[in-house]
Each structure stands twice: as structure tokens, then as C-alpha cells.
Amino acid sequence: MKKYIVLISLLSAQLALSQAPVTGKIKSNVEVMDVRSGKRQVILTAGFLLESPNWSRDGKYFIINSKGLLEKISLKGESLGVVDTEFANRCNNAHGISYDGKSIFFSYNDVRAGINNNSRIFKVPIEGGTPLLLTEKAPSFWHSVSRSGKNILYSAQRNGEWDIYKLPTAGGDEIRLTSTTGLDEGPEYGHDSKFIYFNSNRTGRMQIFRMKPDGTDQERLTDDEFDNWFAHPSPDGKWLVYMSYLEDQKGKHPIGKEVKLRLLNLKTKQVKDLTETFVGGQGTLNVPCWSPDGKKIIFVTYKVE
């Protein structure tokens, strides 16, 4: 494994962006797992916070949040440089790539929108450039783009309520898709955009749900003792990988907690563990994480010293 090169010195700022409820030094391990065999490989270790890796659409590199910037990482864990996002140097851990591979969507803590709760969603060319603002309102956290590229999904707080919204990438008014009491989070389109998968604590404990693209026919997919977050459907539409806290987090998703990754068969609704328990949480599996061929996932585990 190649030694990681620190690009800029902003650790304290990045910890603040993640609202990490831990004290001490954080060590990050970026891991790739073969879903079928369960074999895991640590491709990158850093003595600071790394979060939310995406697989590129061509499968040749990853994009990861590193100290408020979006950085490209090779399959061997080597730095390929920072994506130029100009003024946006406080990116949080919500980002992803369009299906055509030409654009990156990301959320940025924009002080122009206020001191707190100021995350807004932007779009930038894959090679970098001037970010285009998509959401005027804050806070808004990007989570998914449709296969057509015409719509994005995000979680947002409006009038004190956290719900899931859809917005045309060409511009227009945001469309509210959920309206139940409680926190609705982590929306992601399925492989064919016929369903949206998300997590919600509307029933008291955070569980995985799905609904149609217009917000109708909301259906619960998990019902267990875990606190389930960030469901990511496989490219072939057969599986759903998500992160489970062992204990109820009361609507939060902090770092430094005991979690494990689980796999749901979308045909049988059967669930199995993908990993044993490890230290994770915020930043482990926030964003789309499957390889383009659907054979592997990428995620982050942590150690607090």
C-alpha cells in the first residue's frame, strides 16, 4: 500500500464539518470488499479523517472527502490530486458522480447561506471548474442522481422538518417527497430509477424504506433492533448494502460507534451480515459505494486513539 501524501493541513476544520462527537486522534482505513467472497483489502490508511468514497463510473479511481476537499484516489490508494472546486473548500461528505461520468454533485458548507445549517448542493465538471449552485435553500445534502441525469435527490430541513426532496438538474422548484414526522434521510435511486431507497425513524427506530419516484407507495424493508442508515442499491438491482449501528442513535449518525455492514436481497428480503462489528458511522458509507460491475463496495473504518 502506497503511503498517502497529505495535501493540506485542515484536520480540525474537517472534524468540525463532520461534527465528530469524539475526542482523540482519528485514523481512517479505506477498504474495498468483494461482496460475494467477503474478502476485504485496506487500500489506504491515514492518520486523519477520510470520508465517503465513491467509485468512478469507469471503475478506475475513487473520489473521497479529504479535509473539506474532493480528492481522486487510485485503486491502489495513491493520490491522483484534488478536484478543483474553486471557492468550495468546505465540502461535507455528500457527493457523487453522474451516470455519464461527466459531472460531480457535492454539498458544500456555504457561509453565504448562514453560519450554521448552511449546506447547499453544487455541480462541477468531473475535471473540476466553477461550481454551479443547484439548491438556493439550506441545509440541503446531496445523495443521488437519476440515471437520466435529469433529477437529484437530497435530504433537507425545511421549517424544522427533515424530509427527502427531488430537484430538476436543469433548474426549477424542489419537490418534497416525504412528509411524515421524524427524520427521512439518505435517498438513493435504484439502478433503473424505478424506486428510491432511504432511511427513516418514523416508526421510532431508524429503518430502511423505499418508495416510487413521485413519493408514493412508501414501504418499509427492514424491521429489526438495529439503527439502519444509508441504503445503496447494487447496479444490477438485486441487492441493497447499508450500515447498521448496534444501538439506537436517536436520529443521529455519529462517527466512532459500533457498526456493521449488512446486505439485503431485494427479491427475498433476506438480510445477512457483510462484516463483523467495527468502529464507524458518519463517513463510513454515506454515498453511492458500489463498483460499476456490482462486484465490490468501498467504505471507511475508523480507529480513535
Side-chain angles (χ1 to χ4, degrees):
M1 181 172 51
K2 302 291 184 180
K3 184 177 180 181
Y4 186 70
I5 299 174
V6 179
L7 297 172
I8 52 175
S9 178
L10 290 172
L11 176 57
S12 60
Q14 179 66 355
L15 287 173
L17 292 181
S18 297
Q19 300 178 341
V22 295
T23 58
K25 185 178 181 181
I26 292 181
K27 179 180 179 181
S28 306
N29 286 327
V30 181
E31 300 193 33
V32 172
M33 169 185 273
D34 185 294
V35 173
R36 185 173 182 178
S37 69
K39 183 179 179 181
R40 293 163 60 175
Q41 178 187 11
V42 177
I43 65 163
L44 173 59
T45 296
F48 52 90
L49 190 65
L50 296 173
E51 299 177 291
S52 304
N54 302 125
W55 220 297
S56 68
R57 295 300 183 186
D58 61 10
K60 295 181 178 180
Y61 64 91
F62 308 110
I63 289 181
I64 196 165
N65 187 289
S66 176
K67 301 178 179 180
L69 299 177
L70 302 179
E71 187 174 355
K72 291 184 178 180
I73 302 296
S74 76
L75 301 186
K76 295 181 179 180
E78 301 163 310
S79 174
L80 300 177
V82 169
V83 178
D84 179 16
T85 52
E86 296 188 354
F87 59 84
N89 60 359
R90 291 182 300 277
C91 301
N92 52 57
N93 47 43
H95 51 80
I97 304 171
S98 60
Y99 276 90
D100 62 11
K102 295 180 179 180
S103 303
I104 301 175
F105 298 90
F106 66 93
S107 301
Y108 160 63
N109 293 333
D110 192 347
V111 295
R112 296 172 298 182
I115 302 301
N116 299 308
N117 293 326
N118 56 10
S119 177
R120 298 200 290 181
I121 300 170
F122 293 77
K123 176 183 177 181
V124 72
I126 193 73
E127 63 272 12
T130 302
L132 172 67
L133 177 65
L134 297 180
T135 55
E136 289 286 345
K137 296 179 180 179
S140 302
F141 293 89
W142 183 90
H143 279 283
S144 185
V145 60
S146 62
R147 181 169 289 276
S148 67
K150 293 181 178 180
N151 295 289
I152 60 170
L153 297 175
Y154 54 101
S155 58
Q157 187 183 47
R158 305 288 185 260
N159 299 316
E161 290 290 333
W162 282 97
D163 284 294
I164 292 168
Y165 290 81
K166 177 172 67 174
L167 181 75
T169 54
D173 296 329
E174 63 182 16
I175 301 168
R176 185 179 181 180
L177 298 180
T178 63
S179 57
T180 59
T181 300
L183 174 65
D184 294 327
E185 245 274 24
E188 188 167 328
Y189 281 110
H191 75 296
D192 54 7
S193 297
K194 291 184 178 179
F195 286 103
I196 294 170
Y197 298 88
F198 64 101
N199 52 276
S200 174
N201 65 356
R202 62 184 63 181
T203 58
R205 189 99 172 207
M206 193 66 74
Q207 299 293 330
I208 304 301
F209 289 74
R210 71 178 177 185
M211 60 184 168
K212 291 182 178 178
D214 62 358
T216 60
D217 295 340
Q218 298 182 20
E219 171 192 9
R220 185 164 65 180
L221 299 179
T222 65
D223 185 10
D224 54 40
E225 72 276 18
F226 299 112
D227 209 54
N228 300 318
W229 283 81
F230 302 130
H232 305 298
S234 60
D236 62 7
K238 295 180 179 180
W239 306 94
L240 205 65
V241 65
Y242 59 94
M243 181 185 71
S244 294
Y245 287 93
L246 301 193
E247 297 180 349
D248 187 359
Q249 302 302 314
K250 309 298 183 183
K252 305 295 183 180
H253 50 104
I255 194 174
K257 298 293 184 177
E258 288 190 322
V259 302
K260 59 183 174 180
L261 302 187
R262 310 194 81 203
L263 189 69
L264 185 150
N265 184 314
L266 285 169
K267 182 178 181 179
T268 67
K269 303 301 189 294
Q270 295 298 306
V271 177
K272 68 175 183 179
D273 290 349
L274 272 183
T275 68
E276 75 284 358
T277 300
F278 61 85
V279 177
Q282 173 82 299
T284 288
L285 201 77
N286 293 51
V287 295
C289 60
W290 286 88
S291 61
D293 62 10
K295 294 181 178 179
K296 298 178 180 180
I297 58 170
I298 185 167
F299 59 100
V300 187
T301 62
Y302 300 105
K303 182 178 181 181
V304 181
E305 299 176 342

